């Protein structure tokens, strides 16, 4: 069947009438090549079908939630069994306690857990808990990193006020001097240091945390009596079966989790150490669906799969297969790729492509060949992505390299992206 | 089977170790009588079973989400059909557009919809959109009303900063003079006025909005160029099949919805008029699960049931049956009740009970008789609550009145509640 997007186009027209801009947030395709579908029909394993019926090997995994494969049977079965009993009730199920116990058993720094819905809920609760715990105000925040979309952290400031981030103080990731300078500038008023496990930002190469930075951040927090907060919402369980900085021997006081915690069912969590419990006890936070039983049942089963299967090793192997294959293809077609970050959370950018016109054209060609790649956001490999899937992606990308090479001189940059890049 | 709570007690012990305070948020039983179960096994229709297997007619309806009955088959079927296709994917399904169209068709003031997860997401988006729209800072907020648990509105300030509510200015609900005074005090800097459809607060009688207040609030917003924001999260679709103030001929610019929108599936929404679209277009808000397809499929079916069935008339009839029965029982046992608010969202407090000891003892007795009532929070009647269910509650309350009358002189107030009341 030839690739087409007629249904998607019609749906976008309808959406423009009843949804601001037709779509919003991180899954809006506004900044993607025009070919990218906005609306999807179904998903299974590593595959995704758009509303026109086009099938893709999906390298976005719902921007993270898909860890084990879409519709992964053991998780679906656990969720369905709970759904029949009850989901959103007048209080939680026993599963809430079991889930907290399971996380405390798996995440070495954690002695307790609180559940919520959005990643932003978890990061916001982390800063509130740190402020309640320390009686201080300042949160040290790595410039240009994403910690959610609440007024204190959203990357687009429309509708927010200076007061929303009056006590957010910025440092440079992987730069201990800038972190210590921020501590000193705050004169004893630092409640917490917020960091992602590595830098995984849009339109940029990814950068792993240096061990010295992770350890130094821990030491500075101890020295100044502040809490270390790790934002695992995007990277959690993609690098390790424990907190991502456990490999460095660094234990945060608080960690925020979300996305893949229940393989697509909606739940996020704040975890903390015994020492950080008091602040968490004092704050009042809640939500209508935070105690719903079905996502908790799904999370318990997802954690069992994380613990008992080789999902992690398989995602790494598949990620490496793709990375190596792309490296060879790029070289043979005369392109240079910057493939950064963990192979199972790849960011793929083109060298000498400042306005992203090459990367965009390449991704659009690959899309039409059945590979859903992302030209500016990190991607995700799930446990359902086989080496064969990666081979299928590589067939699409090989043709994409070839096509882009032929029309390289006629490529144009994306108009809205150009406007935004010019603003910065 | 005799009422017991051994399993619940054991579970609370386990929870204390791995969850701060053992539980948090609006479903924590900390302030309820000791007998109240914290953990539940299942729910169906109007009934709820705790982990010890005790069965209750549940008057809390999950604190709102249960509108049509727990496990309501048409909604469960719609959700299950979507779940098989895909829930959290790399973008939304066609259902997102259909759901927005459906809401725009049903809610007279709405021209567009944005979906999110928590009620707090919707109210926070409302104030951000109002600020983006007007370029102003102040939000007028009725003293003592609940609009969520983010730092700008949470009722318990631990961990929040003065800056979080630097531009929240308070007025008295149903008091137009105080609202106009707040406008004047802000000197042209008011972005929006936030109001619930009526006052539905804990430990207080409920108060309906006066028509003159609703109309006057609309006129003041128009006079000063501010947006009127109605917070329908708790009351939406409980009073009307349209915005709650439509009965007064008042259309807000923005309205926040949640809880029962998908009969228990997690979704909330911000709706707005054409005039208020621009602010919504400018803000950046998102969440990992905001575009998930299953809750949208559940919401579409819930809205169909709202439109096509007499669920609303039935909840009103059942609520009135309970209200009248309780009135008679109270009188015959020598008590005076204050039953306030809509019959289908009842608040039941005892006259001459300043520390709530009578109400607490009564609710605890009714609980053991199989009626899950709430001694300080408004309750909810669902479409599954039959007149027979209300008769069953009345059997339990009749015994409860009798038991409390006998030991009235020995009742003690709740210790934690007493501590909190003394703080205020």
């Amino acid at each position: 069947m030839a690739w087409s997007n007629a249904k998607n186009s019609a749906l976008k027209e309808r959406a423009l009438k009843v949804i601001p801009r037709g779509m919003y947030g991180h899954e809006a395709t506004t900044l993607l090549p025009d070919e990218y579908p906005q609306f999807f029909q179904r998903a299974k394993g590593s595959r995704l079908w758009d509303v026109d019926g086009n099938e893709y090997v999906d390298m976005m995994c719902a921007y993270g939630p898909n860890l084990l494969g879409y519709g992964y049977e053991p998780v679906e079965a656990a969720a369905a069994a709970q759904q029949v009993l009850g989901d959103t009730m007048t209080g939680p199920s026993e599963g809430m306690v079991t889930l907290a116990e399971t996380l405390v058993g798996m995440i070495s720094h954690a002695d307790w857990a609180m559940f919520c819905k959005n990643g932003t809920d978890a990061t916001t609760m982390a800063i509130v808990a740190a402020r309640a715990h320390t009686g201080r105000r300042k949160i040290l925040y790595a410039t240009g990193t994403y910690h959610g979309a609440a007024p204190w952290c959203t990357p687009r400031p429309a509708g927010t006020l200076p007061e929303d981030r009056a006590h957010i103080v910025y440092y440079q990731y992987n730069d201990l001097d800038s972190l210590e300078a921020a501590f000193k500038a705050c004169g004893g008023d630092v409640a917490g240091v917020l960091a992602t496990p590595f830098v995984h930002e849009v339109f940029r190469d990814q950068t792993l945390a240096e061990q010295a930075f992770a350890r130094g951040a821990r030491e500075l927090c101890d020295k100044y009596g502040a809490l270390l907060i790790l934002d695992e919402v995007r990277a959690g369980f993609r690098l390790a079966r424990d907190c991502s900085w456990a490999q460095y021997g660094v234990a945060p006081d608080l960690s925020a989790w979300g996305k893949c915690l229940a393989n697509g069912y909606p739940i996020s969590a704040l975890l903390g150490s015994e020492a950080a419990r008091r602040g968490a006890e004092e704050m009042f936070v809640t939500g209508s669906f935070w105690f719903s039983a079905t996502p908790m049942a799904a999370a318990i089963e997802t954690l069992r799969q994380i613990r008992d299967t080789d999902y992690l090793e398989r995602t790494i192997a598949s990620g490496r297969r793709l990375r190596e294959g792309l490296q060879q293809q790029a070289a043979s077609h005369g392109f240079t790729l910057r493939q950064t970050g963990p192979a199972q959370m790849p960011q793929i950018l083109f060298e000498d492509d400042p306005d992203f016109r090459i990367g965009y054209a390449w991704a659009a060609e690959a899309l039409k060949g059945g590979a859903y790649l992302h030209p500016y956001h990190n991607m995700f490999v799930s446990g359902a992505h086989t080496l064969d899937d990666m081979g299928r992606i590589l067939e699409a990308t090989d043709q994409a390299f070839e096509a882009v090479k032929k029309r390289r001189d006629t490529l144009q940059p994306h108009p809205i992206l150009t406007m935004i890049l010019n603003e910065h």
Side-chain angles (χ1 to χ4, degrees), chain A:
Chain A
M1 190 179 75
W3 188 90
S4 101
N5 61 3
K7 285 188 186 168
N8 187 68
S9 298
L11 210 43
K12 281 168 79 170
E13 288 296 314
R14 279 170 56 194
L16 268 175
K17 294 187 186 130
V18 293
I19 298 169
R21 292 183 191 270
M23 178 60 181
Y24 53 92
H26 66 294
E27 291 187 352
T29 57
T30 323
L31 290 184
L32 284 168
D34 289 344
E35 292 86 349
Y36 272 68
Q38 181 63 79
F39 297 98
F40 296 92
Q41 193 181 88
R42 61 192 176 99
K44 185 71 184 171
S46 62
R47 305 300 169 95
L48 181 66
W49 288 262
D50 67 22
V51 287
D52 287 281
N54 303 301
E55 178 180 340
Y56 307 101
V57 180
D58 174 34
M59 284 293 294
M60 288 314 293
C61 292
Y63 288 76
N66 175 19
L67 179 71
L68 304 168
Y70 288 117
Y72 187 73
E73 291 302 339
V75 176
E76 294 303 309
Q82 181 61 52
Q83 184 68 33
V84 169
L85 294 174
D87 178 20
T88 304
M89 301 187 283
T90 291
S93 67
E94 177 172 357
M96 182 174 176
V97 184
T98 306
L99 177 56
E101 289 169 341
T102 304
L103 284 164
V104 165
M106 286 176 72
I107 307 301
S108 49
H109 87 88
D111 294 308
W112 53 262
M114 295 176 81
F115 303 104
C116 37
K117 283 289 128 179
N118 304 310
T120 305
D121 294 337
T123 57
T124 302
M125 283 159 63
I127 72 167
V128 171
R131 284 167 172 162
H133 178 82
T134 59
R136 301 175 183 175
R137 297 178 297 173
K138 306 292 182 186
I139 301 294
L140 307 191
Y141 186 118
T143 305
T145 60
Y146 182 82
H147 291 290
W152 66 272
C153 57
T154 183
R156 198 188 300 161
T160 71
L161 302 176
E163 286 83 354
D164 292 325
R165 45 194 91 186
H167 298 290
I168 305 292
V169 175
Y170 298 91
Y171 69 92
Q172 301 298 316
Y173 198 95
N174 267 344
D175 180 345
L176 272 181
D177 290 342
S178 84
L179 185 60
E180 181 143 33
F183 266 108
K184 287 179 178 164
C186 294
D189 197 19
V190 177
V193 172
L194 194 51
T196 46
F198 66 98
V199 180
H200 42 52
E201 296 304 323
V202 291
F203 296 110
R204 294 169 54 182
D205 294 330
Q206 299 192 109
T207 313
L208 297 182
E210 292 164 16
Q211 176 164 318
F213 172 72
R215 291 189 176 176
R218 175 72 271 174
E219 285 164 15
L220 284 169
C221 284
D222 293 340
K223 176 178 170 185
Y224 287 93
L227 299 187
L228 180 61
I229 306 163
L230 206 59
D231 178 354
E232 294 270 17
V233 173
R234 201 182 301 182
F237 296 125
R238 298 269 176 193
L239 308 187
R241 294 178 174 86
D242 192 352
C243 229
S244 296
W245 281 4
Q247 58 174 320
Y248 299 141
V250 172
D253 301 292
L254 298 170
S255 56
W257 301 72
K259 289 201 179 280
C260 73
L261 190 53
N263 203 48
Y265 284 85
I267 187 166
S268 59
L270 177 67
L271 308 186
S273 65
E274 199 53 49
R277 188 190 287 253
R278 202 190 61 246
E281 285 180 340
E282 287 175 5
M283 63 184 174
F284 183 81
V285 288
T286 198
S288 301
F289 308 111
W290 288 16
F291 310 113
S292 300
T294 297
M296 293 189 184
I300 292 167
E301 183 58 33
T302 300
L303 292 170
R304 192 195 322 272
Q305 298 289 327
I306 287 171
R307 207 179 46 217
D308 295 346
T309 72
D310 62 348
Y311 85 99
L312 182 58
E313 292 70 26
R314 285 186 285 110
T315 63
I316 294 171
S318 291
R320 287 184 178 159
R321 172 75 189 91
L322 180 64
R323 180 165 287 187
E324 288 157 12
L326 288 176
Q327 197 63 24
Q328 290 168 9
Q329 286 182 353
S332 78
H333 289 286
F335 293 94
T336 304
L337 292 180
R338 298 201 310 266
Q339 300 195 75
T340 55
Q344 67 275 29
M345 280 180 70
Q347 175 80 304
I348 305 176
L349 302 176
F350 280 72
E351 195 72 275
D352 302 319
D353 189 27
D355 60 11
F356 299 90
R357 69 177 74 183
I358 303 173
Y360 269 53
W362 177 75
E365 290 289 346
L367 182 87
K368 287 188 278 187
Y372 193 108
L373 303 170
H374 205 295
Y376 65 80
H377 192 292
N378 80 272
M379 293 171 260
F380 301 87
V381 180
S382 84
H385 284 74
T386 62
L387 295 177
D388 278 355
D389 285 324
M390 296 311 178
R392 188 161 163 151
I393 292 177
L394 288 167
E395 285 177 34
T397 53
D398 198 41
Q399 293 184 16
F401 278 118
E402 185 64 31
V404 171
K405 188 167 63 177
K406 281 185 187 155
R407 53 191 190 84
R408 184 166 182 165
D409 294 338
T410 66
L411 299 177
Q412 294 298 318
H414 188 280
I416 301 176
L417 175 62
T418 301
M419 201 174 69
I420 289 173
L421 291 175
N422 288 341
E423 281 172 8
H424 287 83

